[in-house]
Amino acid sequence: AVTESPTQAATKPVTTVTNKPTAPKTTAAQTAASTKPAPTVTQKPTSAPTSAPTTQPVKTDSQSGTFVFTVYGWGHGVGMSQEGAISMANSGKSYKKILSHYYPGTTLKADSSVPETVNYGGTDYGLVEYLCKTSYREIGNSAPKEAIKAQIVAIYTFAKTYNFVVDSSRHAFSAGWEYENTATHKACLEVLGMSGAEDTPKPEYVDYNGSPAFTCYFASSAGKTVSANSVWGGNYAYLSGGSSSPETVEKSTFTVSSEDMKRMILAYDPNIVLGDDPSQWLKIVSHDSTVNSDTGYVSIIKVGNKEMRGNHFRGEVCDYKIRSHCFSIKYIPD
């Protein structure tokens, strides 16, 4: 999940490239920040948001009750779905088709300036080692070859946007993994046009209008991707959302008591005002229609007297205990 939260508004979101571990992947989950200004492009909305809240309030004078979140997908929903890439590869699609599907309007371009090493977390790694150890933690060694290749190109492109100096908070990495002669290593050599370590790598990167694209990715979608603008702000024509994703949608629930929800909210911001009725604490203000007309990726949620983006609520208030910001909420009083 390449990125869960940018550090600067209207800048490129940071990268921790996956929200859910597939294979041995950790969460670089949704963290981080980026500093590259967002390209100036026209943003098209994923779908018309609805102003109808999906919270189902139940009137009660008691502050004792439970919030139940019904959640779809895993991750921020922007860019390439890793489970979707795996499904596309299993149906015979090439890594080029996968990349063009999730980053529409981009092209693959041969890199004429290839680094010998990538500095990750203050340590220099050979290019092949860096790509393999990152891909392993992000999509796993058991993924189909074309999905691994798509992941490797996305990782290379991401590192290129940072001039191949990448902070360790940006994405997952398995420093101790023995990658040589694995499926990931073989796919990496193939996508780099190498037959062995003695060959010169010839990498491709995802290009948009003459610059490397922000190739964010995440674990699994709620059926479609969502726009970067609605999640982080900033305009990316190739991350405008609405791309169908062919994997089976994961559905999960997160249940939390009203006491714990209050504690989480006030730990995030002690100045938020919560009334006496917990059923009124959380109100979904707008969302797209990824699941149906009543449920989708939450653009804006009102928490007490404060509005915030849905993915920000998920990460900063709920500490990513909610797998994605495609959710509905129900309050059940005791």
Side-chain angles (χ1 to χ4, degrees), residues 286-317:
S286 59
H287 59 81
D288 68 13
S289 55
T290 293
V291 177
N292 54 45
S293 61
D294 295 322
T295 305
Y297 284 102
V298 175
S299 305
I300 300 294
I301 183 170
K302 189 172 184 181
V303 182
N305 62 332
K306 183 183 180 72
E307 289 190 351
M308 65 185 74
R309 295 180 189 273
N311 195 60
H312 187 80
F313 169 79
R314 168 185 167 242
E316 300 305 314
V317 176

Side-chain angles (χ1 to χ4, degrees), residues 29-49:
Q30 323 150 8
T31 34
S34 72
T35 54
K36 181 174 180 181
T40 308
V41 295
T42 302
Q43 177 71 32
K44 94 177 174 188
T46 350
S47 63

Side-chain angles (χ1 to χ4, degrees), residues 178-192:
E178 299 293 336
Y179 67 93
E180 292 186 348
N181 297 316
T182 63
T184 297
H185 186 212
K186 292 173 184 176
C188 185
L189 293 179
E190 187 172 321
V191 80
L192 294 176

Side-chain angles (χ1 to χ4, degrees), residues 226-293:
V226 67
S227 72
N229 183 271
S230 70
V231 177
W232 301 300
N235 292 321
Y236 302 82
Y238 53 91
L239 298 177
S240 58
S243 295
S244 60
S245 197
E247 75 263 38
T248 299
V249 174
E250 295 191 44
K251 183 178 177 181
S252 60
T253 58
F254 173 63
T255 302
V256 59
S257 69
S258 56
E259 291 87 351
D260 284 342
M261 178 56 70
K262 182 175 184 178
R263 176 185 53 77
M264 291 158 60
I265 292 169
L266 297 181
Y268 163 74
D269 183 350
N271 295 315
I272 289 178
V273 178
L274 299 174
D276 293 333
D277 184 356
S279 70
Q280 303 302 308
W281 290 355
L282 302 177
K283 296 288 182 180
I284 294 174
V285 176
S286 59
H287 59 81
D288 68 13
S289 55
T290 293
V291 177
N292 54 45
S293 61

